[in-house]
Amino acid sequence: MTGILTAKSASIDPTTVDPTPTRAAVAADPRRSDRRRGRPRWAIWLTLLVVGAFAFLPVYWLVVTSLTPNADVFAFPPRLFPTTITFEHYADVLANPAILGFLGNSIWVSAITAVLSVVVSMYMGYAFSKFRFRGRASLMYFVLSSQMFPQALLLVTLYVVFAQFGLLNTYQALVISFTTFTLPLCVWMLKGFFDALPDELIEAAKIDGAGHWRTLHSVILPLAAPGLVAAGLFAFVRGWNDFIFALTLAGPEKQTLPPGLVNTYIGEASTAWPELMAASLITSIPVCIAFIALQRFLVGGITAGAVKG
Amino acid sequence: MQLTTAPPKSGRLSELGFITLLLLPGLALLVCVVLYPLLRSLASAFFTESLVFPGVEWAGFQNIADVLADGFGELLLQTLIFTVGATLFPFLIGFALALVLNERFRGSRLLRGVFLIPWLLPGVVVSFLWMWIFDANYGVLNGLLLQSGVLDSPVPWLFQTDTARGALIIAKTWNSFPWIMVMLLAGLQTVPKELHEAAMVDGAGAVRRFLTVTWPHVRGVAGLVLLLEFIWNFQHFDTIFVLTGGGPAGTTATFATEVYDTAFKGFDLGHAGALGLLWMALLMILVVVYVRFSERGEKQNA
């Protein structure tokens, strides 16, 4: 990420002039420095208002619906400001054994996915970061590009293969596929962390007589711990959010929350919207917690996964 | 015994062995879960194969011919409409918001985080939420439009051929503009403030400064964001599947939902593979065009 961005910033547009004297000129002119940024304020507030309404009214509606008594939800006109607030929908969701089963599956599958993703991608990331070998660039390219292939297409054959190995309707099917799909980003995140650790650490460990594995496990990995946690959280969220693979590869008993909620609430008859909104918010909580923990690494992780090198 | 030899030569060899061991688990997973399934799906285009009945037969180009003859143009057009709409609108909104949040004002840092909420929510939650907003009988959108007199009777947004596509694009736009905002904000951080000030001293207005100072710095990120969004939307499944399932009357079907339905509802792996082959071919052309384009851009920059 930093590679591409700094490269861009280095190429200065020819239409501009040498910045140093002009900065002085700006500072010298009080009238100008007052409106230094020179942006129309009204445009800023208008954009914030319009985009803010578009972004947050649906979120507001999600929360409000989950707190509205059934009688009010199906009233016309819709009550934008509820007069009565109730937590009965949350209680109903959490008392539903089917939903609790999906919740358990989600936690279990996502946790195992997180652990496995970290283990597999830390070794890969370390190899890509600290060693130069033939085919390194092509392998890195292969890892990155693997996230570009259409999942609906992969799913068709995965279903057939998992069926052959008797893996349909098992946790393994979900964990194996989720782990693979998190690899590109996790490998890139962790490669970034290892890149930041000086090579001298490895040299020093080698001089002290540590082998490759010992150097990695006792010297490097403890220092990369924040990266391992970040990659793990990312993988957890990936497993937690998946819909299409869980829908197809897991049977009714192993299904995670996303397909589970679709099968429970989206029926032919009228949908229990307040309950579904409550269940949706419960489903979103772990993702939000993970995000707050991940915030620091997020932009770097997203951009790194997108840009090679 | 090993200690006495302590050879640099075997050390080199063991380094290669070490690297191989490091890469092996990950590569094995990628080959088994991505590469092999992909190639096998594509290969099944040339066979008659069913998900439920055993037996595989060579079919030559018959599946591809069938798929091309059976509404392929329509499917491609629908996929493109969704992809372009779901790429362009979030890009414009995300870019506008990035420009605004790149300014320093009270709370701009907080807003950068808060605006990510639509992107953070799990895809299925996003689908549920918009399904509820667009609901024909009790949805808040119909409620507000009826109340304010814009509509005379409720509109079944998701079940009507001329509104379903737009509704999907709105839901997807809501979901993905924050990511674009984050990426473009990262790009905007690389614009040196001095350049803006210099241009301002030279009397350049906001639009001119955007074109001559800001745009050259974010062009690379913007191109990348557009390409990635395009590719992702070209393959998008979740929102479409949950909100409309490709309906009404197939108007919102895309490659993703069509491949899924052909394989798992029609049980026809041959035709699903043929669709997938054409789908991948189009995607490859797109990527090649972009790479050429960006290489030319790099040369011009240099």
Side-chain angles (χ1 to χ4, degrees), chain B:
Chain B
M1 186 189 86
Q2 288 287 333
L3 281 173
T4 49
T5 44
K9 221 173 90 186
S10 87
R12 240 180 93 77
L13 194 75
S14 89
E15 181 168 299
L16 197 64
F18 178 62
I19 293 169
T20 312
L21 283 177
L22 290 178
L23 293 177
L24 208 59
L27 287 179
L29 276 176
L30 285 170
V31 167
C32 295
V33 180
V34 175
L35 197 61
Y36 170 73
L38 180 78
L39 295 179
R40 215 201 112 144
S41 283
L42 295 180
S44 67
F46 301 101
F47 294 91
T48 305
E49 192 180 358
S50 162
L51 195 61
V52 281
F53 301 112
V56 174
E57 244 175 82
W58 176 253
F61 287 91
Q62 192 54 49
N63 288 328
I64 295 171
D66 287 353
V67 164
L68 283 173
D70 186 24
F72 180 80
E74 223 170 296
L75 187 66
L76 176 61
L77 185 70
Q78 281 162 198
T79 308
L80 283 178
I81 291 174
F82 173 78
T83 307
V84 170
T87 304
L88 213 57
F89 290 113
F91 181 78
L92 294 176
I93 295 174
F95 206 163
L97 196 61
L99 285 171
V100 164
L101 293 183
N102 194 40
E103 299 292 305
R104 275 179 193 210
F105 55 87
R106 254 174 177 290
S108 64
R109 278 180 65 87
L110 180 74
L111 280 178
R112 284 179 204 178
V114 177
F115 265 110
L116 285 176
I117 291 174
W119 177 70
L120 273 180
L121 297 180
V124 175
V125 170
V126 173
S127 304
F128 292 151
L129 175 57
W130 284 94
M131 208 175 191
W132 170 221
I133 290 172
F134 286 130
D135 186 81
N137 300 314
Y138 306 103
V140 68
L141 182 64
N142 275 333
L144 291 176
L145 291 177
L146 285 170
Q147 234 181 326
S148 58
V150 178
L151 287 180
D152 297 328
S153 56
V155 173
W157 301 100
L158 292 168
F159 303 103
Q160 191 174 277
T161 49
D162 49 351
T163 53
R165 240 181 239 149
L168 277 183
I169 289 174
I170 290 174
K172 194 72 190 65
T173 296
W174 186 77
N175 181 218
S176 46
F177 83 84
W179 178 79
I180 297 174
M181 175 201 78
V182 169
M183 293 287 284
L184 290 173
L185 259 174
L188 286 171
Q189 310 276 307
T190 68
V191 182
K193 286 203 171 56
E194 291 80 8
L195 292 185
H196 265 290
E197 286 159 4
M200 218 178 301
V201 169
D202 291 352
V207 175
R208 207 182 142 74
R209 268 182 287 128
F210 175 79
L211 291 176
T212 57
V213 180
T214 311
W215 181 244
H217 282 94
V218 294
R219 194 172 50 192
V221 184
L224 183 79
V225 162
L226 281 172
L227 174 77
L228 285 175
E229 272 294 315
F230 198 94
I231 291 176
W232 289 334
N233 285 321
F234 202 63
Q235 331 196 351
H236 183 70
F237 181 84
D238 291 14
T239 317
I240 305 176
F241 185 81
V242 179
L243 282 180
T244 66
T251 45
T252 58
T254 62
F255 280 109
T257 62
E258 199 66 15
V259 165
Y260 188 89
D261 285 352
T262 309
F264 293 106
K265 288 183 188 148
F267 308 121
D268 190 339
L269 297 185
H271 283 112
L275 271 171
L277 192 69
L278 296 166
W279 186 11
M280 282 295 294
L282 289 166
L283 206 64
M284 287 300 156
I285 293 171
L286 195 82
V287 172
V288 169
V289 166
Y290 173 80
V291 170
R292 283 279 155 78
F293 188 72
S294 62
E295 274 172 0
R296 211 175 51 194
E298 293 289 315
K299 267 178 212 150
Q300 275 171 358
N301 264 5

Side-chain angles (χ1 to χ4, degrees), chain A residues 97-160:
Chain A
I99 305 285
L100 289 183
F102 300 140
L103 182 69
N105 290 343
S106 270
I107 293 171
W108 186 237
V109 168
S110 309
I112 307 266
T113 299
V115 172
L116 206 62
S117 296
V118 169
V119 171
V120 175
S121 56
M122 74 188 181
Y123 289 135
M124 269 194 133
Y126 183 66
F128 285 143
S129 171
K130 295 297 180 200
F131 296 96
R132 297 293 174 269
F133 49 92
R134 273 177 76 107
R136 173 176 170 273
S138 347
L139 281 178
M140 277 172 32
Y141 190 71
F142 167 63
V143 172
L144 252 197
S145 62
S146 64
Q147 67 180 340
M148 292 294 166
F149 299 126
Q151 299 206 324
L153 193 57
L154 302 181
L155 188 59
V156 177
T157 303
L158 271 184
Y159 182 88
V160 175

Side-chain angles (χ1 to χ4, degrees), chain A residues 242-264:
Chain A
D242 179 86
F243 171 66
I244 174 174
F245 280 84
L247 174 76
T248 314
L249 301 177
E253 277 144 44
K254 308 291 181 190
Q255 221 151 58
T256 53
L257 270 172
L261 291 180
V262 170
N263 290 341
T264 309

